[in-house]
Amino acid sequence: MSPPKTIFKRIIDGEIPAKIVHEDEISLAFHDVSPQAPVHILVIPKKEIRSIAELQTEDAALMGHLFAIVRKIAEEQGLTNGFRTVINTGVDGGQTVPHLHIHLMGKRALGWPPG
Ligand code: AMP
């Protein structure tokens, strides 16, 4: 039996709504439902990759594409003062949705190190 769809796969399939800011054949970007900064957008691959820990060599171009989309959205959102990208992986990384995603956060100064 195949595992249940993740919430992000359901967004990709149009089964639940999201505030989408970018879509192409291989990626989707939408506002985080619980924003941690004035701009908090998630950029995800449509391909079902659970996390960085499961990336394959052939996913290199896909990851490059996702970061190009991050750059484009950062520009569109006016994040000229800088921004934070985060990819949480696994339990210790604080990952809660098992579908690879890049957090893009900006429009406020962010602390470091994270908790
Ligand atoms: P992570 O903890 O790195 O796995 O991040 C998962 C993120 O997904 C969190 O920031 C959540 O607020 C966000 N999230 C969960 N469900 C939704 C949803 N339906 N639409 C948008 N963002 C979501």
Side-chain angles (χ1 to χ4, degrees):
M1 206 170 70
S2 54
K5 284 185 186 183
T6 68
I7 193 107
F8 291 173
K9 177 61 176 163
R10 295 187 66 198
I11 290 173
I12 291 166
D13 290 346
E15 294 173 3
I16 58 170
K19 287 168 66 184
I20 292 171
V21 297
H22 172 87
E23 180 166 17
D24 60 48
E25 65 280 7
I26 56 177
S27 71
L28 188 66
F30 49 90
H31 288 275
D32 196 294
V33 78
S34 176
Q36 302 301 309
V39 172
H40 187 170
I41 288 167
L42 303 171
V43 180
I44 72 171
K46 289 186 173 176
K47 180 179 176 182
E48 289 185 89
I49 303 170
R50 290 176 65 85
S51 76
I52 291 287
E54 298 195 6
L55 269 185
Q56 303 296 314
T57 306
E58 62 264 26
D59 295 320
L62 170 62
M63 292 305 293
H65 178 79
L66 295 184
F67 278 104
I69 298 303
V70 165
R71 190 209 58 78
K72 179 184 87 80
I73 294 170
E75 193 175 302
E76 289 170 355
Q77 296 285 329
L79 304 183
T80 52
N81 210 35
F83 52 85
R84 174 79 49 82
T85 48
V86 172
I87 305 176
N88 295 321
T89 301
V91 174
D92 279 3
Q95 183 177 9
T96 58
V97 179
H99 183 117
L100 195 155
H101 49 283
I102 304 172
H103 295 259
L104 167 62
M105 290 169 282
K107 284 272 168 76
R108 76 168 170 87
L110 296 156
W112 191 264

